[in-house]
Amino acid sequence: MMTLSTLAQNMPVYLDESKPVEQRIDDALSRMTLDEKIAVIHAQSKFSSPGVKRLGFPDLWTDDGPHGVRPDVLWDEWEQAGQTNDSCVAFPALTCLAATWNPQLARLYGENLAEEALYRNKHVMLGPGVNIYRTPLGGRNFEYMGEDPWLASRMVVPYIQGLQSKGVAACVKHYALNNDEEYRHQVNVKISDRALHEIYLPAFKAAVQEGGAWSIMGAYNLYQGVHNCHNATMLNKILKKDWGFDGVVISDWGGCHNTDEAIKNGLDLEFGSWTNGLTAGASNAYDNYYLALPYKKLIQEGKYSTKELDEKVRRVLRLFYRTTMNRQKPHGFLCSENHYATALKIAQEGIVLLKNDRNLLPINLQTTKKILVVGENAIKMMTVGGGSSSLKVQKEILPLDGIKARFTDAQIDYVRGYVGDTVQSYNGVTVGRSLYETRSQAELTAEAVAKAKEADVVIFVGGLNKSDYQDCEGHDRKSYDLPYAQNEVIEAILKVNPRLVYVNISGNGAALPWIKKVPAVVQAWFIGSEAGEAIASVLAGDVNPSGKLPFTWYASLNQCGAHATGSYPGTWREDYKIIDEEYKEGIYVGYRYTDSKKQKPLFAFGHGLSYTTFKVGKATANKQVMTTDGQISFTVPVTNTGNRAGSETIQLYIAAKQSKVDRPVKELKAFQKVYLQPGETRNVTITIGSEALSYYDETRHDWCAEPGKYEALIGTASDLLPTKHTFQLK
Ligand code: BGC
């Protein structure tokens, strides 16, 4: 009879949970055949790759990401599988999460999303995305965390930690420089090392080094003439060698183009090639993947040993132990009350009050008897569309329904106002409400004007809508203007009723030509399942808004470095295969550009109003001189000077006063959100180290904090920094 101890003795090391993971990996690797090794480094279906059945390793299931768990598609097709257990909670888009400036909410986001993923038996979530908001035309900016590397870094780390704390891998995307959607497979980015390291890489680096991301997704575009999914500089040098990444590099779907490069340049797991979807090719051609039979053949012919293969398999096995083989994983829950509560909280904290003249908001519940809601976005589901982040939700409260449910004492009227080329369905998920309309624009405008005349307040819910070219994967916007007849309708309404609240739904800024005439503007993002309730709670004042813009809202595209320097969208080469796009604006992205040109944007980075008022007192520091290995702390008193409780975000920017190189006027280096009762004062203390003073030195290929004079500028928005403190680095 087998005793327990003989059982343990016979248990192979790779299955023995008491053994260190690296030892288990070595053991598993030594037992795998060449075919098994080749199998685990490429997909077997749209979203899965095989485990090793003979040894008891389950298949690995990935799924989008990043705002909820995408519904299942068929094994080999993009069509819906028609499951009944994949209606999820849609959490707010990552732009909204970034706008909360609240890392604790990012942690909660990750944890909740992981629970939904666990229920669905998904092991890798394809997200979060941290590509930098370089131009407001960027079709996928809504999926990312804004323009600032520090803000994105602080928000992405807890998201990953939350997700992975439950045994679900993050797959941070799209690494790197995927800032154009238009021709994303063809754009070859030319960029200075300094801009690369100071602007575009920090959030990825933080995701890897602080967040401990278990996987990362290579981007579609090229850098230095090589596709990022097999780019030696990006993957072998920066990611794996310099940052010490021990996880799996997963290709974006169809982002792999070459077997030799894929073997040598750091790709570990290939997805999405040749399967009649994102790239052309025969269906069910998994054996023909670049890292499948073509790779095996090269090994058999002796061109490669199994050195590179073993390294890839090692990483994949490590991912297995972290996910599929992790027996400690908790149970998952779909659509739990907690998940909805989190989605609502993030939406409420992320909504940004951009403008509020004469305190039009919150809407006075006593005196407001008639509300007119205008705009297609008030009745349009925004969880469907936009590309791979499209979801099938259990519920989505539309803005109009949220407003009706909250303002029960008022008469709510609705008119559509304009017709957009609205997505009716995406990837088999159909939008619930019929949007059929036969009337002309003139008739729609006339109807809106007639009803606006009678209303106490007009709420125009507009913006973009996740249709192609309107915040959607695969294309950038064609212009900075609001689409359709929105501006025309707003101007017409303003002539008869100036009490207009403009609620903008988007992941991007837009030109707002009527801005001086509209008293109240609310940025409401794509905020998922609880959209209507969140918007209504802010409009009614149940929630005191505290979101801050994670990007600069330009008055026009000329204020954006990528456009002002003529860099975007680049130039086709003669063979029309590659577009070279030189990032001529360099490190001057977002407020770094407008600051350098002394331009005033429509709304500054970090801007966001509240229904109460705050006063930031004078900053003091704990020292005048800091050393390279030391720290310095600044303290500011913050007082809620109004009569409502509310949150304010204290932002600290650093200005280098003397430097060998060009430095931005200022750069965000720390922030802290505080909640204050009316009349309450709190001292906020923020500590930074010398890395907050450093720039990337292109000659030394390293970060450098120069001795000299610096200023810490502290306040509540990048254009509202009332207190500063000068200090020295020695
Ligand atoms: C997108 C990725 C996504 C993948 C799988 C690609 O087109 O760029 O972000 O995760 O498809 O859906």
Side-chain angles (χ1 to χ4, degrees), residues 64 70 140 173-174 184 217 220 252 278 388 473:
D64 289 296
R70 179 177 175 162
R140 289 184 89 171
K173 65 194 192 184
H174 306 87
R184 56 186 174 165
M217 185 186 289
Y220 281 140
D252 198 347
L278 294 166
S388 56
E473 182 174 340

Side-chain angles (χ1 to χ4, degrees), residues 28 76 82 109 121 130 230 331 347 371 394 407 424 485 507 520 688 715:
D76 228 358
Y109 195 127
N121 229 346
V130 282
H230 29 75
H331 288 295
I371 299 176
Q394 186 201 37
F407 296 93
Q424 298 282 344
I688 56 165

